[in-house]
Amino acid sequence: GYHTDRFLWRVFVMTVRYATITDRYSGYQAALTPNVFHALNESFGVTQECFASPLNRSRFSKRCCSLFPDTDCFFGSRGAGFDYVPRGGSFECNPPCDGHTFKHTFEHIKRIFERSARVAERTGAAKPLSIIVFMPRMGRIEQEHGVERWPFHRRTVRGGSANYLMGMQHTGTGPRGRKVGLGDTWDATNQVIIFLQNDAA
């Protein structure tokens, strides 16, 4: 029927869009595993991802920010991550692994917390706000941007290893074009987890 055809067309357009930027390499679309999301949800109330897609969004994440809001809005996207400025909530942030994206990510996160602080000062009440950032240790980029001196920095955990799901596993390819199946993971070392919260959180 009409509704089924429209749904399938939206799925097709969305998957083709991501396929055009992937070119057999899906590492940049890597996602945290379900057990990690469960822990984030249970312990920190995380319900949204800052960098995701309809193809790799966690079942613990009610909504997400994604690269293509025009095609992804039908599948729970709130829009592009750098356009989204929440006043409160609890978020997981796992940006694509490149220095340029990390720089803009930290700049945007800082603006979010500063805006939240201004609103709290004006209204006398702050909404709880938490952002937990997952990233590889790439020359300690977080230190270059002074993240640990921010008043809303709570803790940085360094040096561990982590498993990631293939973000494009539905295509059967993973990093460097190797074959993968649904649920397959790859190991990443020297991970950094940064906990950012306002006092209300």
Side-chain angles (χ1 to χ4, degrees):
Y2 170 75
H3 295 293
T4 300
D5 290 345
R6 185 167 58 175
F7 171 75
L8 292 175
W9 176 250
R10 288 172 176 171
V11 171
F12 172 76
V13 171
M14 179 268 295
T15 53
V16 168
R17 177 75 70 84
Y18 280 96
T20 60
I21 64 166
T22 302
D23 191 27
R24 297 183 62 224
Y25 180 79
S26 66
Y28 80 98
Q29 275 283 81
L32 300 180
T33 56
N35 59 327
V36 175
F37 271 113
H38 178 71
L40 292 174
N41 180 260
E42 288 289 309
S43 300
F44 296 96
V46 171
T47 58
Q48 184 170 322
E49 299 171 71
C50 299
F51 291 91
S53 79
L55 300 169
N56 70 1
R57 196 180 85 202
S58 168
R59 64 188 175 92
F60 294 104
S61 180
K62 295 178 181 176
R63 302 296 295 270
C64 70
C65 292
S66 65
L67 189 57
F68 304 118
D70 58 333
T71 57
D72 300 350
C73 62
F74 305 108
F75 306 98
S77 174
R78 288 185 179 271
F82 294 131
D83 296 331
Y84 186 63
V85 184
R87 293 188 179 183
S90 190
F91 306 88
E92 177 270 341
C93 182
N94 176 28
C97 299
D98 69 83
H100 182 74
T101 301
F102 284 132
K103 175 180 182 293
H104 287 290
T105 297
F106 286 130
E107 290 172 351
H108 187 60
I109 288 174
K110 188 176 183 181
R111 283 194 297 270
I112 290 171
F113 274 98
E114 289 174 345
R115 180 178 182 272
S116 174
R118 288 194 301 271
V119 170
E121 192 174 293
R122 194 168 61 246
T123 63
K127 292 185 176 182
L129 177 63
S130 298
I131 300 177
I132 303 172
V133 181
F134 290 77
M135 60 181 286
R137 188 159 64 184
M138 297 170 57
R140 298 204 170 185
I141 291 174
E142 74 282 5
Q143 291 187 339
E144 293 176 18
H145 294 284
V147 173
E148 293 181 355
R149 295 191 300 273
W150 292 352
F152 33 87
H153 174 266
R154 296 296 177 251
R155 179 168 296 181
T156 297
V157 180
R158 292 190 183 87
S161 60
N163 289 333
Y164 285 85
L165 290 172
M166 309 298 182
M168 299 292 285
Q169 57 190 323
H170 65 286
T171 66
T173 59
R176 291 170 292 282
R178 74 178 177 88
K179 296 293 184 184
V180 298
L182 290 175
D184 283 357
T185 63
W186 60 282
D187 298 329
T189 57
N190 292 322
Q191 294 300 288
V192 176
I193 307 173
I194 305 170
F195 294 84
L196 305 167
Q197 294 181 311
N198 63 8
D199 291 338

